[in-house]
């Protein structure tokens, strides 16, 4: 139960932050520097936020490496499912169109960031807790 709670909390917190960042990127940053540069700027910020959030969530939980891997995996699956749903609702995209967008340079940068997000809980070990 601790793994599922932690995964949902990790997903929800990072997703809310990423959603806000995505709005800011789309409305403010992209018009100034272009879509690719805006995503390249956004991903490191999201990964840093993910690290901070994961550290705080895992600080008081004694989860072994397989459990931390599960946290990241569950959070990743929830993120991908949410992306499909939001793409359909906000852009009218089908799941196939959403998946095709991942094969673009911007989509691959985003996917790399999401894979990093998924890996972070596994990288947060006992030595990172303070």
């Amino acid at each position: 139960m601790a793994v599922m709670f932690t995964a949902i909390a990790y997903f929800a917190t990072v997703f809310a932050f990423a959603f806000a960042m995505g709005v800011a990127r789309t409305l403010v940053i992209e018009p100034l520097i272009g879509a690719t540069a805006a995503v390249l700027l956004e991903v490191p910020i999201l990964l840093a936020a993910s690290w901070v959030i994961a550290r705080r969530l895992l600080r008081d939980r004694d989860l072994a490496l397989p459990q931390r891997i599960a946290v990241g995996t569950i959070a990743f699956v929830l993120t991908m499912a949410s992306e499909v749903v939001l793409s359909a609702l906000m852009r009218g995209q089908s799941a196939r169109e959403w998946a095709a967008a991942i094969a673009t340079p911007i989509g691959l940068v985003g996917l790399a960031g999401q894979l990093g997000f998924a890996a972070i809980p596994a990288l947060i070990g006992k030595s990172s807790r303070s």
Side-chain angles (χ1 to χ4, degrees):
M1 192 55 105
V3 168
M4 186 60 73
F5 173 80
T6 305
I8 291 170
Y10 179 54
F11 153 74
T13 307
V14 174
F15 194 81
F17 181 75
F19 188 85
M21 286 286 300
V23 170
R25 173 183 43 84
T26 303
L27 298 178
V28 178
I29 308 300
E30 267 184 35
L32 297 173
I33 64 173
T36 303
V39 170
L40 289 170
L41 179 67
E42 179 186 33
V43 169
I45 295 167
L46 291 175
L47 289 173
S50 297
W51 187 274
V52 170
I53 292 164
R55 247 183 114 187
R56 288 187 180 164
L57 286 170
L58 293 168
R59 179 178 40 214
D60 298 327
R61 292 172 176 83
D62 189 26
L63 299 178
L65 179 59
Q67 293 171 307
R68 295 191 318 270
I69 291 170
V71 166
T73 301
I74 293 166
F76 178 79
V77 169
L78 291 170
T79 299
M80 293 294 101
S82 296
E83 293 262 343
V84 170
V85 170
L86 284 176
S87 291
L89 293 174
M90 296 176 76
R91 295 186 186 129
Q93 287 184 322
S94 68
R96 182 172 291 177
E97 291 169 325
W98 171 81
I102 291 176
T104 66
I106 292 173
L108 291 172
V109 170
L111 179 61
Q114 290 163 334
L115 290 169
F117 154 80
I120 286 172
L123 299 174
I124 305 273
K126 292 181 191 227
S127 63
S128 294
R129 295 183 200 158
S130 52

